[in-house]
Amino acid sequence: MSKSSELVRGNLLKILADNSFHSGEALGATLGISRAAISNHIKVLSSLGLDIFSVTGKGYSLAQPLSLLRANEIKAHLSTSHAIEVEVLNVIDSTNQYLKDKSGQVNNGHTCLAEAQTAGRGRHGRKWVSPYAASLYLSMHWSFAGGYSALGGLSLAVGVAIVDALNQCGVHGLQLKWPNDIYAQGKKLAGILIEVEGQIGSECQAIIGIGLNVALPKDIQEIGQPWIDLSQLSDTLIDRNVLAGKLIRELTNSLSLFENSGLEPFVKKWRNLDIYANQAIKLIVGQNTISGIGRGIDAAGAIVLETEQGLKAYHGGEISVRAI
Ligand code: ATP
Ligand code: BTN
């Protein structure tokens, strides 16, 4: 994707964001390109998941009003004590990959957000569906002096931080699924992907990626499990800039706390949000399945399962949990 095409599409969207009709001719004249070029850019934007329709004689219009992400608006929702770098990108393969490529050049809290991802990823190499301006796709960098061993339970602390930020925006009734998902009404609202780099025994760099559905296109087909977005949970649509600011603030506070005190300050809250507390569940570990009753997490963040043999804690990023 060339930088100049990106720029043109960014400018095109700024014009369309007013939610009224614009003819191809007028758009072309404003942006200094042909009507045919406008039509091609519209096709690319539609393929990224934007709902743009065209009416003969009137031109193009967005199906929904579009409020784009803006770094200065996001920063306005961080308190002044947070000197955090916030980058807003338009279309990127993956915000986690973007920060990975910047490894060594960024400070703790450095955050990037994108309007769309073309290769958004989840755990186990799964795809994260990332249509344009429909969600938050956010990654934050944090270095941990304690190395890998200091990271146990990090995704649980991040889950609690996301729920706190959403509560502040008036969204309640959320639950957490071990180890990395946020649920509402039994459906997936958000996911966390933490990717870590560094040498064993020394400082390591974590990239904390969050995908949070805000208002996905209703006809979306590609998500292979029940999903939900904030538009279904709140009468008034939550402004993504406000939400991003609150999320970054909660995350930086929680990551500092986690770095100093570990998982302990988060355990009680996590247990209260546990979607599978006292439910029949199965743990899928590679080809194996272990069934039992979910009994929450232990102090290290491992999932605790009760079977006929008693209670046992299971660690490890390879485990997936499902209800039975
Ligand atoms: P696990 O328990 O292993 O984490 P999971 O099914 O939640 O299981 P993840 O790898 O965490 O798997 O998340 C990726 C999955 O999330 C995809 O396979 C898809 O089913 C689902 N998914 C992808 N995009 C979205 C989205 N925007 N909203 C909700 N769910 C999504
Ligand atoms: C999951 O549920 O498996 C985690 C999904 C994480 C998706 C986010 S979107 C921002 C960041 N960039 C990515 O490519 N993935 C994460």
Side-chain angles (χ1 to χ4, degrees):
M1 213 172 289
S2 85
K3 277 230 159 108
S4 60
S5 295
E6 271 289 273
L7 201 67
V8 173
R9 286 197 277 274
N11 288 333
L12 185 52
L13 278 174
K14 279 183 196 146
I15 302 173
L16 291 173
D18 68 1
N19 220 33
S20 55
F21 278 98
H22 297 267
S23 71
E25 201 170 352
L27 289 168
T30 310
L31 297 172
I33 53 176
S34 67
R35 265 172 66 176
I38 291 288
S39 159
N40 284 335
H41 286 302
I42 296 278
K43 278 186 198 137
V44 173
L45 288 169
S46 301
S47 73
L48 289 168
L50 256 180
D51 204 355
I52 305 174
F53 59 97
S54 68
V55 174
T56 315
K58 284 176 116 180
Y60 300 103
S61 174
L62 286 168
Q64 306 288 336
L66 186 65
S67 156
L68 295 171
L69 294 170
R70 292 180 211 284
N72 55 355
E73 281 185 38
I74 295 172
K75 280 186 189 159
H77 298 283
L78 292 171
S79 74
T80 46
S81 60
H82 292 93
I84 298 294
E85 223 22 82
V86 177
E87 287 186 79
V88 171
L89 312 162
N90 194 33
V91 181
I92 191 89
D93 49 358
S94 148
T95 54
N96 266 31
Q97 189 59 46
Y98 179 81
L99 275 192
K100 225 175 193 181
D101 294 342
K102 283 199 155 188
S103 178
Q105 306 160 43
V106 293
N107 295 320
N108 278 1
H110 190 116
T111 300
C112 74
L113 299 107
E115 291 290 8
Q117 297 182 119
T118 53
R121 56 196 187 218
R123 297 205 313 151
H124 312 298
R126 293 182 192 125
K127 179 179 175 178
W128 188 257
V129 178
S130 309
Y132 201 97
S135 302
L136 284 183
Y137 315 114
L138 177 155
S139 298
M140 180 181 283
H141 163 95
W142 205 274
S143 284
F144 288 90
Y148 283 91
S149 57
L151 296 187
L154 177 58
S155 71
L156 308 183
V158 170
V160 171
I162 296 171
V163 170
D164 281 346
L166 285 166
N167 286 168
Q168 287 164 28
C169 292
V171 183
H172 298 280
L174 302 168
Q175 291 186 297
L176 294 173
K177 184 184 131 206
W178 191 94
N180 68 320
D181 295 331
I182 290 85
Y183 271 65
Q185 297 176 8
K187 299 171 199 165
K188 186 154 164 171
L189 173 70
I192 302 161
L193 175 68
I194 300 180
E195 297 182 273
V196 186
E197 288 185 333
Q199 309 291 325
I200 302 282
S202 65
E203 183 180 88
C204 65
Q205 277 79 44
I207 293 155
I208 295 131
I210 298 167
L212 198 173
N213 299 330
V214 178
L216 293 184
K218 295 289 165 274
D219 56 354
I220 209 154
Q221 302 289 335
E222 307 153 79
I223 305 179
Q225 60 175 304
W227 60 270
I228 196 162
D229 61 19
L230 293 180
S231 75
Q232 300 170 61
L233 294 173
S234 159
D235 293 338
T236 51
L237 191 57
I238 293 160
D239 184 290
R240 289 184 307 143
N241 289 302
V242 175
L243 176 59
K246 290 190 190 302
L247 196 51
I248 295 168
R249 192 176 58 189
E250 278 310 314
L251 277 175
T252 48
N253 288 341
S254 296
L255 292 170
S256 301
L257 181 62
F258 184 87
E259 201 173 16
N260 293 325
S261 311
L263 187 62
E264 196 277 329
F266 303 92
V267 169
K268 192 168 167 223
K269 266 192 174 170
W270 198 95
R271 286 182 180 144
N272 286 333
L273 295 164
D274 183 1
I275 192 167
Y276 290 143
N278 307 317
Q279 308 272 323
I281 55 170
K282 61 182 177 195
L283 306 192
I284 305 164
V285 195
Q287 301 298 318
N288 299 323
T289 297
I290 312 154
S291 300
I293 305 293
R295 297 293 186 208
I297 52 168
D298 71 5
I303 185 160
V304 179
L305 194 69
E306 184 176 345
T307 65
E308 281 167 6
Q309 280 77 49
L311 292 176
K312 191 169 171 198
Y314 293 84
H315 300 261
E318 294 312 307
I319 304 173
S320 293
V321 188
R322 299 283 180 272
I324 8 187

